[in-house]
Amino acid sequence: GKLMEAAEQEHQELKRGNDLGGLPCMVFTHGMAGMSQSYAHYLGSIASHGYVVAAIEHRDGSGPGTIIHRPDGSERKVWHMKLKDLAADPPMTDLDLKAAQLNFREAEISETIKLFAQLNAGDAPIMNLKPGSPRNALPGFKNRLNLSAVTVGGHSYGATGVMQALKSAGSKEMSINGGVALDPGKGSGPLNKDIDVPILVMQSGEWTEKQTGFYGQGWHFNVVKVIIENVKEGWFMTLM
């Protein structure tokens, strides 16, 4: 009993030391038909190194389904949508839909960065509306975040979104200073090449092995390679 007590006390002290320092932050954006929980193991691993990771559950119609919980207790469900589910005049093309979804995702990334600032300031009483999750966790981030070290990461459709968001890096809406793109999308629209902050692109073996033509620009692998070769600071690696 005594030993357990001592260990518990030490654990508390580790958690609540005075020199908390600024925790770097990451916004993570999921792939097509993915959701925030799909990456729990990977993001938990990043968090274990002292990062605060916010995984977005996108409401752009690219996830399988998500529930918006409102403060008054009501909810709204957002289901996966395809081009054929939408009525538009003139009709939308698949690229129109992708562009709209990526803009929606970019706005959600921007809002998440604002949330980091709110958590750090501790001035806005942010309500955790997720049922069954602890209500007292969020106030603990007051004065603990390093808002000058915010990166954005994403997989597949999310990686395309990362590269798009990096176009606005350094602006008030998008105060990010780096990006991690895992398997940039092959069908989520052309990739942004206007990137001034460091970017790391990592591809899985399968993504590299199965090559496809990419919007008339050549093989996907070569398009990504050329973009990363031409940015100010970029790394491109692929698993064999």
Side-chain angles (χ1 to χ4, degrees), residues 147-231:
L147 298 175
S148 64
V150 180
T151 51
V152 59
H155 166 246
S156 196
Y157 203 174
T160 302
V162 164
M163 292 175 75
Q164 176 168 319
L166 293 184
K167 186 173 190 161
S168 313
S171 66
K172 196 167 175 288
E173 284 69 42
M174 206 60 81
S175 51
I176 45 181
N177 55 12
V180 179
L182 309 173
D183 281 350
K186 290 179 177 177
S188 41
L191 298 168
N192 168 49
K193 44 173 85 78
D194 178 9
I195 297 170
D196 289 332
V197 294
I199 177 171
L200 166 65
V201 175
M202 296 170 78
Q203 286 199 171
S204 57
E206 190 182 5
W207 212 241
T208 296
E209 194 71 27
K210 292 182 178 164
Q211 275 315 300
T212 52
F214 189 69
Y215 299 103
Q217 299 171 27
W219 294 114
H220 175 271
F221 182 90
N222 295 334
V223 172
V224 177
K225 184 166 169 273
V226 167
I227 291 173
I228 302 308
E229 276 171 354
N230 286 290
V231 298

Side-chain angles (χ1 to χ4, degrees), residues 8-220:
E8 214 161 274
Q9 197 180 345
E10 192 183 346
H11 183 66
Q12 284 299 322
E13 280 164 16
L14 275 176
K15 230 165 46 180
R16 304 234 175 272
N18 295 332
D19 185 23
L20 294 169
L23 299 169
C25 303
M26 179 190 233
V27 182
F28 191 85
T29 153
H30 62 71
M32 174 63 84
M35 47 191 187
S36 56
Q37 292 95 318
S38 312
Y39 304 88
H41 185 272
Y42 171 63
L43 301 181
S45 171
I46 292 174
S48 76
H49 290 273
Y51 289 77
V52 174
V53 185
I56 303 175
E57 186 89 354
H58 284 297
R59 268 97 188 233
D60 63 337
S62 66
T66 177
I67 301 172
I68 298 168
H69 300 279
R70 300 192 182 102
D72 66 3
S74 65
E75 11 179 271
R76 181 165 80 85
K77 295 179 173 70
V78 179
W79 300 111
H80 190 78
M81 66 171 80
K82 289 194 163 75
L83 190 61
K84 63 176 170 48
D85 304 322
L86 302 171
D89 185 23
M92 284 176 90
T93 67
D94 193 52
L95 275 181
D96 292 335
L97 174 58
K98 295 286 193 288
Q101 285 184 317
L102 285 165
N103 289 339
F104 196 99
R105 283 165 163 254
E106 194 169 352
E108 289 179 314
I109 292 169
S110 175
E111 286 300 314
T112 307
I113 293 167
K114 282 185 204 159
L115 182 71
F116 283 143
Q118 282 180 290
L119 285 173
N120 196 54
D123 58 1
I126 294 164
M127 267 182 78
N128 184 356
L129 296 173
K130 193 166 185 178
S133 56
R135 294 285 174 269
N136 54 359
L138 297 179
F141 288 111
K142 187 177 179 179
N143 298 328
R144 295 188 64 186
L145 306 184
N146 182 353
L147 298 175
S148 64
V150 180
T151 51
V152 59
H155 166 246
S156 196
Y157 203 174
T160 302
V162 164
M163 292 175 75
Q164 176 168 319
L166 293 184
K167 186 173 190 161
S168 313
S171 66
K172 196 167 175 288
E173 284 69 42
M174 206 60 81
S175 51
I176 45 181
N177 55 12
V180 179
L182 309 173
D183 281 350
K186 290 179 177 177
S188 41
L191 298 168
N192 168 49
K193 44 173 85 78
D194 178 9
I195 297 170
D196 289 332
V197 294
I199 177 171
L200 166 65
V201 175
M202 296 170 78
Q203 286 199 171
S204 57
E206 190 182 5
W207 212 241
T208 296
E209 194 71 27
K210 292 182 178 164
Q211 275 315 300
T212 52
F214 189 69
Y215 299 103
Q217 299 171 27
W219 294 114
H220 175 271

